[in-house]
Amino acid sequence: FAAFLLKILRELKPDYIAACYDLPEPTFRHAAYEKYKAKRPKMDESLAFQINRSRDILSAFGIPVYDSPGFEADDVLGTIVEQISCQPQAASQLKIIIASGDLDTLQLVKDDDVVVYTLSKGINEAVVYNEKKVKERFGFGPEMVTDYKALKGDPSDNIIGVPGIGDKTAKELIINFGHIEDLYKKLKKDKKELEKKNIKPRIIKILEENEEEAEFSKSLAEINKSAPIKFSVDESALKKNFDIEKVKQIFLEFGFKSLFERLEPKDFKDESSGATESLKESPLDKEKELFEKFRGEVPEKLFYEIELPLSKILSEMQERGILIDVKYLNKLSGEHHKKLKDLEKKIWSFAGEEFNISSPQQLGKIIFEKLKLNNKKIKKTSTGAYSTNISELAKLKDIHPIINEIISHRELSKLVSTYIDTLPGLADKGGRIHTTFNQAGTVTGRISSQNPNLQNIPVRTNLGKGVRRAFVAGKGFKLAAFDYSQIELRVAAILSKDKKLGEVFKKDEDVHSAVACEVFNVSLDKVTEEMRRRAKIINFGIIYGMGINALSKNLGCAREEAQMFYDEYFNDFNGVADYIERVKNFARERGYTETLFGRKRFFPEINSRFDYVRKEAERMATNAPIQGTAADFIKLAMVRADKILAENKIKDRTFLLLQIHDELLYEIEEKTLNEAVPIIKEAMEGVYENEVPLKVKILTGENWRDMVEFKI
């Protein structure tokens, strides 16, 4: 990445430069088609970490980054191209070069004004695609690229296209008939016109049978030029922002000494001033920038009452950091590497030979070719090979003992590489980790964490708990965890105003047992553990918009039985049923949903004419106000607690470290615990006065794992 960036700067010598990123959250294409990119293996945590760090390189160069929840980097690129064309005359005449390895961007090419610069055979060989070059490669222009994918499909994105039409036929159809809309008009008007062009009857038949698939595939392939970003040409001026010292620091940090030596500062220096300039933001600039991130999604009142004060709190959290026990992690690393070696030997023993367990290809050969383990339910990758993903291997657990050992090895290896071996290297001299919090990082409104991501540490397994033990309190301090109890179900009760559900929380009853009573028509004393387990699945399934098939799969029962439970739930909790219908109708009419505080989430596919696209959007829309309101509650709690702690003059002894889902983790001076804990608890439970009470569980301890309940 760094080498490619230098190549761009050296060879293209841009006046302006900006970068666009994908985000880890699902996009509007996933909402439209749940199988979009489904065949791609999940990104390795260590690679995800490197991608996040690549943003630091861009920051050192003063290169602004644009991304948008729900949209891919290509959409953001397309939006920037579109916005530049609408700029004042001088800016609109800029030549735009898109540097990308993704040839989907070819659809943005326009004459010589918008071109794509991409690598062909490694870092040293590049190709520039203008309109002429695109025609040379495909036989048609950039405006037909999406039609090509609509017919041929795209295995890398799991876009189906028209089954049976390959590269050659797709090109032939486009060259002869143009856009797929024109192709289908001619097909419906007169098939003979296709026959005259030597289109075989078999191709005509499959085109007729797959018109909807072709149209839908084109909609997935098409770059969306309406991502909610506001591009600034001025802020992208390279010479204005470049700071050689920052670049030197980041390159030396990564060990890129040779790359730095190749860097020629004179190429990027602002000659008018004789020195490089650093872009410094005033508090007002930061407020404007933050407001732009939430524009259209957050009402002004919510912005000034929650998001703006929260930005200062997150900055303080990042600066404080969380202390880790480096010696403990090093000891744990040694123990786990030994376990990995032992697991490796066991796996080799079962396999009858040594091989690289981390290689999907080698692992696949052992499991499916040598041991001939198989299950008809095992999915295949885009290349036709059987998948070795954990979810697929789990289907073979009962067939051969090697599978359990492979799963154990995979889980332990991931934990070691992502956290145990990595965290010590990220700590500062005082042993603290400084994660970066992204305030507008998710479509739900929740805060995300990166470099490193401390929100994904497993909590239910012993291995995950072992990692949590590494996070400790400083001398004279204790860690205190404040966790909302059943927050999303309580929010569902608040939003739906369902009397029965609300009554359960008012009486402080166990919500899953109470629902089991209703669904299974038994008294509380007759509720078994299995009934409660099923009621829990139904509870969360309903608020997450789960359909009958998904409910059946999660309950492990027949579809008919799942339907019965589903109907029984909505009969008993008809307020929830009415609420869900109200949310869907609201989303259909306005194209978005709202949280209790007015935070919007947009669903452009809610009125799609494709049934499966519409249903997926409805499922997500059902849950959005619940998840979003829960996110608003915890953000508001952070702001309220910060204010009251400051008023009581104990903020300098009470430090918020992390926000993880529905939990806040503080580091509190021991002698201040009895004063600070009630304040934080009240701040969390009092964010919204309602008949349905909010409840917080409190744990304290020397480390994040070994905590005990704190009684006020």
Side-chain angles (χ1 to χ4, degrees), residues 642-690:
D642 185 80
K643 183 173 181 288
I644 303 169
L645 289 167
E647 287 170 356
N648 283 268
K649 296 183 171 49
I650 55 171
K651 186 181 168 183
D652 60 343
R653 288 165 278 156
T654 309
F655 301 96
L656 180 55
L657 304 180
L658 295 175
Q659 184 270 314
I660 319 97
H661 309 302
D662 305 322
E663 178 186 350
L664 296 180
L665 186 68
Y666 281 82
E667 186 176 23
I668 304 173
E669 190 180 52
E670 280 192 68
K671 59 186 178 184
T672 310
L673 270 175
N674 289 326
E675 188 179 355
V677 168
I679 288 173
I680 299 164
K681 182 176 187 288
E682 190 284 323
M684 293 179 73
E685 293 182 343
V687 288
Y688 186 69
E689 295 297 330
N690 188 266

Side-chain angles (χ1 to χ4, degrees), residues 151 165 170 173-174 176-190 194 199 207 214:
L151 293 170
I165 289 186
L173 288 167
I174 291 170
N176 282 304
F177 303 103
H179 295 294
I180 62 166
E181 293 82 2
D182 298 324
L183 168 64
Y184 276 103
K185 277 181 190 173
K186 284 167 185 167
L187 181 62
K188 290 169 186 174
K189 189 177 179 182
D190 188 2
L194 273 75
I199 305 301
L207 282 170

Side-chain angles (χ1 to χ4, degrees), residues 186-187 189-196 204 208:
K186 284 167 185 167
L187 181 62
K189 189 177 179 182
D190 188 2
K191 290 182 192 176
K192 289 181 181 177
E193 197 169 338
L194 273 75
E195 291 169 357
K196 285 177 188 175
I204 293 173
E208 287 177 320

